[in-house]
Amino acid sequence: MPSTFTLCDTSHSGYSCLIMPSTGLGVARRLIFAFALVLATVFSVCCSADNGGAISGKVAVAPIKKPIDKLSLVSVSNDYPPFYSANLPSQGVIFHLAQAVFQHAGYPMAHRYYPFARAKAIMKKGGADVILGVWYRPSREEWIAFSAPLLSVNVVLYKRVDSQIAFNTMADLRQYRIGIGRGYANPEAFQNAALKTEAASSDKVNLKKLLAGRIDLVLIGEDVAQYLIAQSGDQFKDKFEVVGEPLSVELFHLGLSRSLPHYQEVLDDFNRSLTEMAQSGEVNRILSEHGFGTNGYWQQKQARR
């Protein structure tokens, strides 16, 4: 009986073997034949894959969905004490809360501070994933997705204590120069009243302009004004007061860039973690640590439970 050698195709398309006599068959010819069989197998596999993934009449199993990679998120904001600032303990209540919620959800967060207009521009160009402390406006939904609320703030007008300014309607304010933050979202009624406004890079700059008589009023978050006055020593002490009722109550949100892959999944993780931390009491602990344990938004939310 002549000696033989065996070539087998054990690919997923089937199993077959060829038994070939080795007598008179050179080693080189045997290798060429083996190489041809391998090429035929590869061609069969490729054609099956291109044909919708069906192989030998069997339906291919759909690939398992890969979970998103929880890489470090880049966040930006302006310096806006007492809510978020590099100069505050734990960088302020909103920063502390946002960082803790992301940590609970499994996302590290790296943060950078810029003037608000620049932070906004960076977000729109895709240079950051998250912006802290934004107030909801429909126009902003074009470039960010809003988280559940983090905190509330009363937006008011401040005047000098020696000023006789009073008002009942927005129209009463048309004779005054009003300082606003550059790039800030203003209350809708205020925005639509066609008032004389001057934008500045920060609320502190606006208070300095108000003190110097360069403007008549400042539109400002009440907590922000109280913080800046308390931190100024004698510069602003007993110099300003609120005029009228709050123009609006605004809610701080976290904004996720819509250019961030899987942004909706990240947002869902954040909101779910925020709810879990509120239920466990961790949110209230963070708020109280920063002096916001009686914040209006969270008090109303607890009252509804």
Side-chain angles (χ1 to χ4, degrees):
M1 181 175 180
S3 60
T4 62
F5 73 97
T6 304
L7 293 175
C8 293
D9 173 14
T10 58
S11 71
H12 57 280
S13 59
Y15 182 96
S16 62
C17 293
L18 292 176
I19 301 175
M20 300 293 295
S22 60
T23 303
L25 185 64
V27 173
R29 292 177 63 191
R30 291 201 299 270
L31 291 175
I32 291 171
F33 188 89
F35 182 69
L37 182 59
V38 170
L39 286 179
T41 300
V42 172
F43 180 79
S44 174
V45 171
C46 292
C47 289
S48 296
D50 287 342
N51 191 27
I55 301 173
S56 298
K58 299 177 182 178
V59 177
V61 178
I64 297 173
K65 183 179 179 182
K66 182 182 177 182
I68 61 174
D69 294 325
K70 294 188 175 181
L71 301 177
S72 179
L73 297 170
V74 177
S75 64
V76 293
S77 75
N78 59 320
D79 194 84
Y80 198 53
F83 302 113
Y84 35 93
S85 170
N87 300 316
L88 293 171
S90 300
Q91 299 191 55
V93 59
I94 289 180
F95 177 91
H96 189 177
L97 186 57
Q99 185 183 53
V101 173
F102 269 132
Q103 184 176 8
H104 184 277
Y107 298 90
M109 186 179 82
H111 191 73
R112 299 289 182 271
Y113 290 95
Y114 301 97
F116 184 80
R118 186 178 176 192
K120 181 178 173 181
I122 290 171
M123 282 289 294
K124 286 187 171 183
K125 292 179 180 178
D129 308 312
V130 180
I131 186 167
L132 296 186
V134 285
W135 300 345
Y136 176 79
R137 294 295 184 271
S139 61
R140 290 177 169 176
E141 287 195 294
E142 296 177 2
W143 50 282
I144 55 174
F146 288 85
S147 73
L150 299 175
L151 207 71
S152 63
V153 59
N154 292 337
V155 179
V156 297
L157 287 169
Y158 262 69
K159 68 179 184 67
R160 294 183 301 276
V161 293
D162 59 356
S163 169
Q164 302 302 312
I165 296 175
F167 73 99
N168 294 312
T169 67
M170 290 294 104
D172 297 334
L173 297 172
R174 288 176 182 165
Q175 59 185 306
Y176 304 114
R177 297 162 298 167
I178 305 173
I180 60 173
R182 184 172 293 117
Y184 289 13
N186 298 318
E188 184 176 3
F190 180 93
Q191 190 70 29
N192 295 335
L195 304 175
K196 291 184 290 186
T197 60
E198 294 184 17
S201 60
S202 72
D203 292 294
K204 187 173 183 178
V205 169
N206 271 330
L207 288 179
K208 288 181 177 180
K209 291 171 66 176
L210 180 61
L211 184 63
R214 293 167 55 193
I215 53 178
D216 303 304
L217 295 164
V218 169
L219 183 70
I220 192 169
E222 190 167 14
D223 296 289
V224 176
Q226 291 173 353
Y227 173 84
L228 292 174
I229 291 170
Q231 293 295 310
S232 70
D234 292 335
Q235 182 182 17
F236 297 151
K237 185 179 179 181
D238 300 325
K239 301 293 195 307
F240 309 121
E241 63 185 5
V242 175
V243 55
E245 296 296 319
L247 272 61
S248 68
V249 177
E250 300 290 347
L251 296 174
F252 286 103
H253 301 262
L254 178 146
L256 265 292
S257 172
R258 292 186 180 273
S259 64
L260 174 68
H262 310 290
Y263 76 86
Q264 189 60 55
E265 292 181 58
V266 178
L267 188 63
D268 291 343
D269 287 345
F270 182 90
N271 288 338
R272 181 170 54 253
S273 291
L274 179 61
T275 298
E276 291 172 357
M277 291 174 63
Q279 293 172 346
S280 71
E282 182 64 12
V283 167
N284 188 64
R285 186 195 68 76
I286 293 174
L287 295 176
S288 298
E289 180 180 327
H290 294 272
F292 286 88
T294 58
N295 181 257
Y297 168 74
W298 288 104
Q299 283 194 321
Q300 292 180 10
K301 194 171 180 67
Q302 292 173 358
R304 291 194 296 267
R305 291 178 182 173

